[in-house]
Amino acid sequence: MTLTAEPAHDLPTSDVDPFCPEVLEDPLPFHAALREAGPVVHLRRYDVFAFARYEQVRAALVDWQGFQSAAGVGLSNFRHEKPWRPPSLLLEADPPRHDAPRRVLQKILGPRALRKLHEAWLADADRLVDEVLDAQGPEFDAVPHLTEAFPLRVFPDAVGIPQEGREHLLPYGDHAFNAFGPANELVEKGAPRVGELSAWVAAQCAREVLAPEGFGADIWAASDRGDITPEQAPLVVRSLLTAGVDTTVHGLSAVLCAFATHPEQWRRLREEPGLARVAFDEAVRWESPVQTFFRTATRDVPIGGHVIPDGHKILMFLGAANRDPARWGPDADAFDLARDPSGHVGFGMGIHQCVGQHVARLEAEALLTALARRVETIELAGPPRRHLNNTLRAWEALPVRLRPA
Ligand code: OVM
């Protein structure tokens, strides 16, 4: 093989731990430094290659042949390490094995299929907002009362799992998203409950446990048709229960926090409630509830005058790409409903792009529409508190004051 003469610049490196509490608390300065350092930065602490610019993150997401998922999309390399649970058939798989489960779930969670939930979820959000304003008055913590309450009220029912044990959903998802990072204190803190939580989740995936109608039943019906095997069906249900709750909770928290801190944007939404979905996508861009995913190089991949060696992990900073001024302009940090947020990588991009994104948008549309109808102003009633997670940009508390219209 002939080597072309590349300019001999050094690979930028960083000793920062992206998963340390200080960076998780406020990742924005680190993201900016990574973007400025170059198209690829070697993170010495974990011997991984970081992409923080929109161009490289997007290219890596789309290139599933060069940057595979089947070796895991966390730091752990499944070529050498045993995964903490059987790998996801969607997230932690490559074509061709990835494709049948993906096709099945994409149809079940697609815009056409969701039309039958639209009216019911809008009505349910109306009731929730009424109840909360009645019971709490104008000032309360939006995390338990709205952004956790709404997904927990509609999504488990839509999947078709029983009432009992639903309090396990958020802790299970929290652990699963921590597990993409290094085995740090956040993972250790979750470890004692993993057995119990995993066993509960696995039990909910059985055909007999699931309601006769719902996403769960639809997945089992796909196995009856032979679209997936009966062995695959419970793992596909598991994907819904793993990725479907914490993500939407923190996405809804993000959009409420954005409005509580941008009163002129709330006025804009109230004038034009049809902007609810754009507002949610802009908040997903602005906050990136899922901050990072890894890929693994399937060969020596040349990039920016360097080579990422076969088998090495790449860490894609979705949150940094979503605020890259080279893509979003000098106002990349602004939350602005006048912007077109399409093309953001908060839901990923390419064959693994979030299969639940239409469900998330429907939840957001319902909650924002209900709030816009009743609430003249939203403001912070105290300092919001972060919940630290290795992958999620999450909230512990979001104290708000609402003035009824
Ligand atoms: C899954 C899955 C998909 C996306 C994210 C995720 C824990 C899990 O298929 O289980 O995070």
Side-chain angles (χ1 to χ4, degrees):
M1 188 177 115
T2 14
L3 296 174
T4 44
E6 296 278 3
H9 40 231
D10 289 331
L11 179 62
T13 64
S14 170
D15 288 312
V16 173
D17 176 2
F19 304 98
C20 73
E22 296 70 30
V23 172
L24 293 178
E25 185 70 41
D26 177 18
L28 299 185
F30 177 58
H31 289 173
L34 280 181
R35 280 193 307 260
E36 273 151 35
V40 52
V41 180
H42 186 239
L43 302 182
R44 293 218 287 219
R45 182 170 173 127
Y46 301 112
D47 188 20
V48 302
F49 296 85
F51 295 165
R53 296 184 181 175
Y54 181 85
E55 183 187 337
Q56 278 74 32
V57 169
R58 188 187 194 288
L61 284 166
V62 170
D63 181 8
W64 57 267
Q65 290 103 328
F67 299 106
Q68 69 162 181
S69 290
V73 297
L75 177 62
S76 171
N77 190 327
F78 295 175
R79 295 188 195 183
H80 314 295
E81 288 176 84
K82 187 174 143 52
W84 70 280
R85 61 173 195 167
S88 163
L89 301 182
L90 290 115
L91 182 73
E92 296 156 325
D94 297 324
R97 287 158 49 105
H98 156 272
D99 299 339
R102 171 74 194 203
R103 261 196 305 275
V104 163
L105 204 51
Q106 191 156 320
K107 179 128 191 259
I108 292 169
L109 303 180
R112 286 183 61 87
L114 294 186
R115 279 201 294 226
K116 52 179 182 288
L117 293 173
H118 188 260
E119 241 185 283
W121 285 19
L122 261 73
D124 212 350
D126 274 336
R127 281 195 296 275
L128 173 65
V129 170
D130 279 345
E131 287 168 23
V132 171
L133 286 172
D134 269 2
Q136 306 297 323
E139 229 180 274
F140 56 88
D141 182 353
V143 171
H145 293 295
L146 290 176
T147 68
E148 290 183 351
F150 187 59
L152 285 173
R153 171 164 175 141
V154 294
F155 186 71
D157 280 347
V159 177
I161 63 168
Q163 291 290 335
E164 172 123 14
R166 290 183 179 189
E167 70 278 7
H168 293 126
L169 285 167
L170 284 168
Y172 180 77
D174 189 54
H175 183 77
F177 279 99
N178 273 327
F180 294 126
N184 58 16
E185 320 78 86
L186 291 170
V187 174
E188 268 165 42
K189 246 186 9 212
R193 292 197 67 198
V194 176
E196 172 207 356
L197 296 172
S198 301
W200 179 81
V201 167
Q204 312 313 303
C205 300
R207 175 165 225 165
E208 320 76 65
V209 173
L210 291 158
E213 280 179 51
F215 301 147
D218 293 342
I219 290 166
W220 279 100
S223 93
D224 292 338
R225 289 193 301 272
D227 295 345
I228 52 172
T229 69
E231 290 73 37
Q232 289 177 313
L235 275 180
V236 177
V237 179
R238 192 194 68 177
S239 284
L240 292 184
L241 300 180
T242 310
V245 189
D246 301 69
T247 47
T248 53
V249 166
H250 300 304
L252 294 174
S253 296
V255 77
L256 286 195
C257 180
F259 279 123
T261 53
H262 296 74
E264 78 291 351
Q265 299 297 318
W266 182 250
R267 275 197 297 279
R268 177 94 206 269
L269 180 73
R270 292 205 69 221
E271 283 160 18
E272 210 179 322
L275 286 174
R277 280 168 179 259
V278 172
F280 180 62
D281 268 85
E282 171 64 353
V284 171
R285 181 197 71 81
W286 186 67
E287 179 83 354
S288 302
V290 176
Q291 287 273 296
T292 46
F293 269 127
F294 291 80
R295 293 289 189 262
T296 306
T298 57
R299 46 186 162 77
D300 291 354
V301 185
I303 183 145
H306 306 283
V307 172
I308 297 175
D310 179 19
H312 273 64
K313 286 275 174 173
I314 292 94
L315 176 48
M316 306 177 296
F317 285 85
L318 309 178
N322 278 340
R323 286 172 177 246
D324 183 350
R327 167 64 180 80
W328 304 100
D331 296 333
D333 286 329
F335 171 75
D336 184 358
L337 301 198
R339 181 200 309 276
D340 175 6
S342 57
H344 75 73
V345 291
F347 288 125
M349 192 67 80
I351 66 166
H352 292 284
Q353 191 178 40
C354 179
V355 75
Q357 60 184 286
H358 307 288
V359 180
R361 289 198 187 97
L362 179 55
E363 289 181 22
E365 183 198 348
L367 189 60
L368 289 176
T369 307
L371 285 168
R373 215 172 268 158
R374 278 166 194 69
V375 175
E376 171 112 24
T377 62
I378 305 182
E379 54 191 15
L380 291 179
R385 270 203 324 279
R386 288 287 175 183
H387 169 78
L388 300 192
N389 180 285
N390 282 332
T391 303
L392 298 170
R393 190 109 174 90
W395 301 91
E396 186 71 48
L398 192 60
V400 292
R401 187 179 310 113
L402 308 184
R403 186 149 53 86

